[in-house]
Amino acid sequence: MARELPKVYEPQQVENEIYSMWEEKGYFRPRNKEGAKPFTIVMPPPNVTGQLHMGHAMDATLQDTIIRFKRMQGYDALWVPGVDHAGIATQIKVEEELRKEGLTRYDLGRELFLERVWDWKHKYGNRIVQQQKKLGASCDWDRARFTMDEGCSKAVREVFVSLYEKGLIYKGSRIINWCPHCVTALSDAEVEYVDKPGHLWHIRYPLADGSGEVVIATTRPETMLGDTGVCVNPNDARYTSIVGKKVILPLVNKEIPVVADDYAEMEFGTGCVKMTPAHDPNDFEVGLRHNLEIIRVLDDNGVVNELGGKYEGMDRYEARKAIIADLEAGGYLVKIDDHSHNVGTCYRCHNDVEPIISAQWFVKMKPLAEEAIRVVKEGETRFVPDRFSKTYLNWMENVRDWCISRQLWWGHQIPAWTCADCGHITVSREDACKCEKCGSTNIERDPDVLDTWFSSALWPFEVFGWPEKTPELAKFYPTSVLVTGYDIIFFWVARMIFSGCEHTGKTPFDTVLIHGLVRDNQGRKMSKSLGNGIDPLEMIEKYGCDALRMNMVTGNSPGNDMRFYVERCEAMRNFANKLWNASRYVMMNLAEDAVNQLPDAKNLEIADKWVLSKLNTLIAEVTDNLEKYELGVAVQKIYDFIWDTYCDWYIELTKARLYSEDAVRKQTAIGVLVYVLDQTLRLLHPFMPFITEEIWQSLPHEGEALIIADWPVYSADLAFKTEEASMESVMDAIRSIRNRRSEMNVPPSKKAELYILANDPAIFAEGEGFMQRLAYADKVTLLDKEPENLDGMVTCTTSDAKIYIPMGQLVDVAKELERIAKELEKNRKFLASLESKLSNEGFVSRAPEAVVAAEREKAQKTRDLIAQLEQSEAAMKKL
């Protein structure tokens, strides 16, 4: 039984009530219907420190749209939520709190510090979950996981030990990326390269035998304190005579060798390169080949250490200034060139990264990359759009070993114990009590934790209980689609694929749907520094969740950034109101015992067949678009159908029948109105879940809720192509007549006879009632030839007909020409003033870009208006 909808849609009230109903009734859980295929999405887990931002809103909207669509299609749909422990980010948050108390983590010690982090997690960790619910996220919250919960921790340890046993995890001294601000190692993927202006310092290194000197060029003079060689190219004729000799390292006054290696580029700088194996990855490799000494001169905080002589205790940039000054004073500085170069920065704090030699844990990537490359090349996992598979493959084919240890306390502590007696490292699934080699109990656990992305890489299978062979793992893994931004393909997507292949023998998902970034209305990245961030919760509070979701999806195409316009939220709220008002109108015409059932086909009229045929096509196209993850295309078609086809046309076309005395005609119109509304609400539900559920619950319906109702399917019985084309012919004629009347300023109250010369007169005979009501005709006459006398008539032409309107009956031509002349004079003057302003170089160069653009837009609109008025004037003069 139908119930009346309130006059005004209040999203804030409706959304909370509807979401609670969905949750309480368990609609987010898989339905476990017999024979239903599983469809699984795992949520990219937001950081436990997270506050909902526009990126989360985009992510959640796309995933929720897909999972709702699949749930309605009858799949056993499961969307698994969770939260990431976010090592560095969370530790920094808690350390900030401690600083307010005048404490550091070292004052507390590891155990008490970790208690504080867990307290913080319990206090704030659920905040982002509640915010996701505000977005309408239909996850199975009973299955929510945390990357440091017991199950995930077990999976992480199993993977570490397994890879170690296979020789794919090792500990070694390598050049790694080090952030002196976060005081931890970073993987290559966590380094962002920024083009920065700098200098190239040319420094004189005297030959030890007094026979001359070489000049080296460097961008980092502060690391020269750790130089242990000079490198030249073996093919460089300028330097063949000095290879094997020694040079004096300026300021340090120490002899270091000259070596020949292909690494030195003859064209760059002077062709002589200083070798600092402890502070540069390339120098490190050259050093290994030529047995150069490795001397680290910077500590973990980027400060010169005890090997830096008089510069000890100086920050790296302070040391740079002091060293340059001393080089100049000593006559060693030859010249300084400006030089722009790529500088590695920390993805989290954006400080410059320091390459340093350090003992760290690494994953051997080449063996793992092979299968991860194959599954994408052979289409077992596909990227949407496909261009991102090239990005992925390029990275995987050139991947370096992954540094997985982090100098933090919050995270998965590495399960490795070093023996103080024999030096052996014991790696174990259980906490070790003694050395597995010598039996000594004098062992110490590695203090480092694993990179956050190490546990995130296992997410698609660890959430289902792996390494145990659980029923959930068998049913829901591999997952169906991963929805994520292009900015974490390397961080996360690549690592999940090789982890899934290695540990489960299966790629973790069939499809990777890539979306772009949400930018501001000027195309800039949203950031705190620019102050241009928009809070999605504020948008929800003001416009409703459905309006925000529609804004995120409309015009969105996979892989591309989108600009966020607040005005579009307002437009989508207006769309919601239009749908609400149309639904109220339909319900006001329903009997109390009304049912939702398509009327008998024999009673359907041309307008009914037209709308049903259009709906049928819409169902087929939207379903196809959603299957291809073309969400933006799908929602635009639904929007256009609701606004234009259903509200602006079909409701108007049925009004005469709704007030008809003929009960069959009336009930047929109502039946089609309800049926089309019901089917359209189903199509719109994945995008605008709240308003569609609220309206659907008020319509006559079978079943408990729209969220679990059946998805519409195309029916050949409703493909009325002939009637659809006929109705479109009538509508084209109506549009043409209304446009012509509007141009000539004729009010709807003034009616005139219409004369129609049609290719198929029967179509217009059937549509006569529509022409009279919607084209303001008091009579419609069908002609078999063109009228002999066209005086006082205007003609409208469509592809199927010519329509003649005796406009002389409708307007006072002289008065209308006078009105048009005045309008033209006013607008031509206005255009002249705008063009004068825009031709003024001073205005164009000094005024803000947005102001100039607005003036140009005004000028174009005025030109368009003048063109319309001139058209109307010409038409009037023919009467």
Side-chain angles (χ1 to χ4, degrees), residues 701-771:
H701 63 266
E702 287 182 10
E704 297 174 30
L706 180 57
I707 189 175
I708 53 166
D710 290 340
W711 183 256
V713 290
Y714 176 86
S715 167
D717 294 342
L718 297 178
F720 303 110
K721 288 300 170 190
T722 304
E723 292 87 341
E724 184 184 339
S726 298
M727 190 68 215
E728 290 287 350
S729 296
V730 173
M731 289 165 63
D732 283 347
I734 292 169
R735 283 190 199 99
S736 184
I737 295 161
R738 286 165 75 148
N739 287 342
R740 182 50 60 92
R741 288 174 62 105
S742 174
E743 283 165 14
M744 296 191 159
N745 211 30
V746 180
S749 56
K750 286 195 174 180
K751 301 195 173 187
E753 187 172 356
L754 294 179
Y755 299 92
I756 300 175
L757 180 63
N759 297 341
D760 185 348
I763 291 172
F764 289 90
E766 192 172 2
E768 183 176 344
F770 302 133
M771 302 286 288

Side-chain angles (χ1 to χ4, degrees), residues 857-869:
E857 192 179 341
K858 267 190 226 168
Q860 190 52 51
K861 282 183 178 173
T862 309
R863 285 187 203 99
D864 294 343
L865 179 57
I866 289 168
Q868 283 174 12
L869 287 165

Side-chain angles (χ1 to χ4, degrees), residues 164 417-427 435-438 443:
Y164 182 79
W417 289 259
T418 303
C419 179
D421 296 329
C422 74
H424 178 75
I425 296 175
T426 300
V427 171
C435 174
E436 65 184 0
K437 186 177 180 186
C438 74
I443 59 173

Side-chain angles (χ1 to χ4, degrees), residues 34-189:
E34 198 175 334
K37 290 181 184 174
F39 187 94
T40 323
I41 302 177
V42 290
M43 175 190 287
N47 287 353
V48 69
T49 57
Q51 275 273 62
L52 195 77
H53 57 62
M54 278 298 174
H56 294 129
M58 166 72 79
D59 235 22
T61 298
L62 298 179
Q63 289 172 85
D64 194 51
T65 300
I66 294 165
I67 209 74
R68 286 177 184 271
F69 164 57
K70 290 296 176 181
R71 190 182 285 125
M72 293 175 78
Q73 275 193 315
Y75 283 85
D76 223 359
L78 172 62
W79 182 16
V80 182
V83 179
D84 194 290
H85 66 277
I88 294 177
T90 309
Q91 181 155 318
I92 286 170
K93 284 271 185 197
V94 177
E95 288 195 85
E96 281 171 4
E97 302 238 321
L98 286 177
R99 269 199 293 278
K100 292 173 191 170
E101 301 169 33
L103 297 170
T104 70
R105 60 174 157 140
Y106 301 103
D107 295 326
L108 268 66
R110 187 170 194 138
E111 206 171 307
L112 284 175
F113 176 74
L114 290 178
E115 279 182 25
R116 286 289 292 261
V117 185
W118 278 106
D119 288 345
W120 190 94
K121 187 263 175 190
H122 294 316
K123 190 172 179 183
Y124 297 108
N126 204 38
R127 177 175 53 187
I128 195 143
V129 170
Q130 296 309 316
Q131 291 171 340
Q132 284 170 321
K133 290 182 178 184
K134 285 274 184 193
L135 278 167
S138 60
C139 313
D140 186 348
W141 295 108
D142 295 340
R143 294 176 185 265
R145 299 299 299 270
F146 178 51
T147 51
M148 277 183 62
D149 66 26
E150 192 179 336
C152 290
S153 298
K154 183 179 180 181
V156 166
R157 187 174 279 206
E158 174 60 35
V159 165
F160 186 94
V161 177
S162 168
L163 290 176
Y164 182 79
E165 289 171 348
K166 293 173 186 174
L168 294 173
I169 280 184
Y170 64 93
K171 190 172 189 180
S173 288
R174 292 280 184 279
I175 289 285
I176 50 103
N177 306 297
W178 184 268
C179 177
H181 180 263
C182 296
V183 198
T184 188
L186 301 173
S187 71
D188 291 343

